[in-house]
Amino acid sequence: IRFFKRLSDYGILTTRQIQKFEFSTVRHTTILRRLRKLEKIGFIKREFPPLGGAGIWQITQRGSRHISRDLLYGKINKNQLDHDVMISALRFALESAKLASGWISNHELRKKTAHHNEDAGSELVPDGVFTGEVNGKSINIAFELELWMKGQRRYKDLFSQYAGNREVNLVLYVVPTAKMGDVLTRFWIE
């Protein structure tokens, strides 16, 4: 059941992530056999990246009902697979290091926003929000993973929304290069 809850919380996990997060002492072939059995009875489903590679696993409606949860994640967006897999890895690292707790995923935030607001498309929805601690004080941290640079206007609008958001105390941007980080920092300052 712990595995189903993690898969439900994270949305998607690769086979390697499942092994690392849940079954680190179990052989890879045994894990695959168990995952395929769960897939066969309809508790989880597998997708494959467009260019090949390891399977991506996701809980199904039946699996969600088994743990008495709503299904938060719909169809996998194959254009965002790298992004979503990286978020799962970073989230696990932050939680394992006890730097993050109470993580709320982008999908859960979107569902809540859509439920409470008919104009949900204009709402600020980060890749995740979690509770962290700074100088002994608990704060709400918005998490953004940015793998590709977007337009300056988009960032300025986004940063303006964050600056006016009283529910978020800190924004953590994770980027693949120092150069990209420098550009985003310059946009924030301007």
Side-chain angles (χ1 to χ4, degrees):
I1 288 186
R2 188 180 82 194
F3 163 66
F4 286 139
K5 287 181 179 177
R6 184 179 305 266
L7 191 55
S8 174
D9 288 344
Y10 279 61
I12 63 169
L13 293 171
T14 65
T15 305
R16 293 215 186 281
Q17 287 175 328
I18 291 168
Q19 183 171 16
K20 182 179 180 180
F21 301 169
E22 295 293 329
F23 307 109
S24 60
T25 60
V26 180
R27 288 185 17 207
H28 188 73
T29 53
T30 303
I31 292 168
L32 279 173
R33 188 172 56 250
R34 290 176 183 171
L35 290 172
R36 285 193 294 265
K37 283 182 181 180
L38 291 170
E39 179 184 30
K40 189 174 183 177
I41 59 174
F43 283 114
I44 61 175
K45 65 182 178 180
R46 177 175 32 171
E47 298 277 342
F48 291 97
L51 301 175
I56 306 292
W57 299 90
Q58 183 177 31
I59 197 163
T60 62
Q61 184 70 45
R62 182 176 183 194
S64 291
R65 279 195 311 267
H66 183 68
I67 56 171
S68 302
R69 289 193 176 176
D70 289 336
L71 185 65
L72 293 175
Y73 296 82
K75 188 168 171 44
I76 292 174
N77 180 347
K78 292 186 180 187
N79 295 324
Q80 285 202 219
L81 268 179
D82 290 341
H83 180 266
D84 292 349
V85 167
M86 180 74 69
I87 287 173
S88 292
L90 291 167
R91 175 183 175 180
F92 181 75
L94 289 167
E95 289 175 338
S96 296
K98 306 269 189 259
L99 296 172
S101 63
W103 189 286
I104 303 171
S105 72
N106 172 281
H107 296 276
E108 191 172 348
L109 291 167
R110 285 194 189 284
K111 192 170 189 170
K112 285 180 181 179
T113 301
H115 181 71
H116 295 296
N117 184 358
E118 292 176 9
D119 189 26
S122 66
E123 289 290 317
L124 177 64
V125 182
D127 291 323
V129 174
F130 62 90
T131 302
E133 193 173 299
V134 174
N135 297 325
K137 181 182 174 190
S138 288
I139 62 169
N140 292 327
I141 301 171
F143 179 86
E144 294 280 4
L145 172 63
E146 208 62 48
L147 297 179
W148 304 278
M149 202 65 195
K150 296 170 184 78
Q152 182 177 2
R153 179 81 249 147
R154 184 172 188 274
Y155 288 114
K156 289 199 178 251
D157 290 344
L158 189 63
F159 294 161
S160 175
Q161 287 182 32
Y162 273 125
N165 188 322
R166 295 182 191 267
E167 295 178 19
V168 173
N169 306 106
L170 183 75
V171 181
L172 173 62
Y173 259 88
V174 177
V175 296
T177 66
K179 182 177 179 179
M180 189 173 170
D182 291 342
V183 170
L184 290 180
T185 301
R186 192 174 67 243
F187 289 166
W188 179 265
I189 291 169
E190 294 173 359

